[in-house]
Amino acid sequence: QVQLVESGGGSVQAGESLRLSCVASRGMDSPYCMGWFRQISGKERERVAVIDSDGSIYYPESVRGRFTISEDKAENILFLQINSLKPEDTATYYCAARNPWCSHRWSDFPYRGQGTQVVVSS
């Protein structure tokens, strides 16, 4: 079992930046995938960034260029840097992990955090 705890959310103005963190209770066995999903009110949960144990990274077109995923393997922390925040980025952001490889489906990730709220005002 792996417990994931997110932090770093908050209320910001449009154009500002945030860095979300996700601390894992232990390192993931390779191969693995770790990532961030978000749920905007009234919409389905969507994947916004993933990184696998080979270091491959994927972002959907909607966030590419503004979102950056990274990990500190020594400390078992996953990060999501979000720049140039927009009101439409307002959502609850969730950290998730799975073995062995990445999936676009939230339901495929057995390890999930409780979420951290991001509110962006214009």
Side-chain angles (χ1 to χ4, degrees), residues 6 9-10 19 23 26 28 36 39 43 51 56 59 63-64 66 69 72 76 79-81 83 85 95 101 105 109 122:
E6 304 97 333
R19 189 175 78 157
V23 178
R26 65 168 178 83
M28 292 288 291
W36 292 91
Q39 184 150 31
K43 296 188 176 182
I51 185 168
S56 296
Y59 308 101
V63 306
R64 202 169 293 156
R66 296 192 301 118
I69 189 171
D72 182 335
N76 299 325
F79 299 102
L80 184 68
Q81 177 72 35
N83 297 328
L85 276 154
C95 174
W101 302 116
R105 288 187 295 265
F109 286 76
S122 56

Side-chain angles (χ1 to χ4, degrees), residues 6-12 18-21 93 116-119:
E6 304 97 333
S7 63
S11 295
V12 297
L18 279 176
R19 189 175 78 157
L20 308 184
S21 299
Y93 286 74
T116 185
Q117 182 102 24
V118 172
V119 177

Side-chain angles (χ1 to χ4, degrees), residues 48-120:
V48 294
V50 290
I51 185 168
D52 68 20
S53 45
D54 289 339
S56 296
I57 291 173
Y58 171 81
Y59 308 101
E61 185 63 35
S62 58
V63 306
R64 202 169 293 156
R66 296 192 301 118
F67 286 30
T68 303
I69 189 171
S70 62
E71 58 180 342
D72 182 335
K73 292 185 178 183
E75 298 294 329
N76 299 325
I77 304 175
L78 184 72
F79 299 102
L80 184 68
Q81 177 72 35
I82 310 175
N83 297 328
S84 304
L85 276 154
K86 305 175 181 180
E88 51 263 44
D89 293 321
T90 295
T92 301
Y93 286 74
Y94 298 88
C95 174
R98 75 183 303 269
N99 301 102
W101 302 116
C102 289
S103 169
H104 66 278
R105 288 187 295 265
W106 171 254
S107 59
D108 287 340
F109 286 76
Y111 308 120
R112 306 166 179 177
Q114 294 300 306
T116 185
Q117 182 102 24
V118 172
V119 177
V120 185

Side-chain angles (χ1 to χ4, degrees), residues 31-46:
Y32 66 80
C33 178
M34 297 192 74
W36 292 91
F37 288 74
R38 70 181 179 186
Q39 184 150 31
I40 299 170
S41 182
K43 296 188 176 182
E44 288 191 6
R45 202 164 303 196
E46 63 172 333

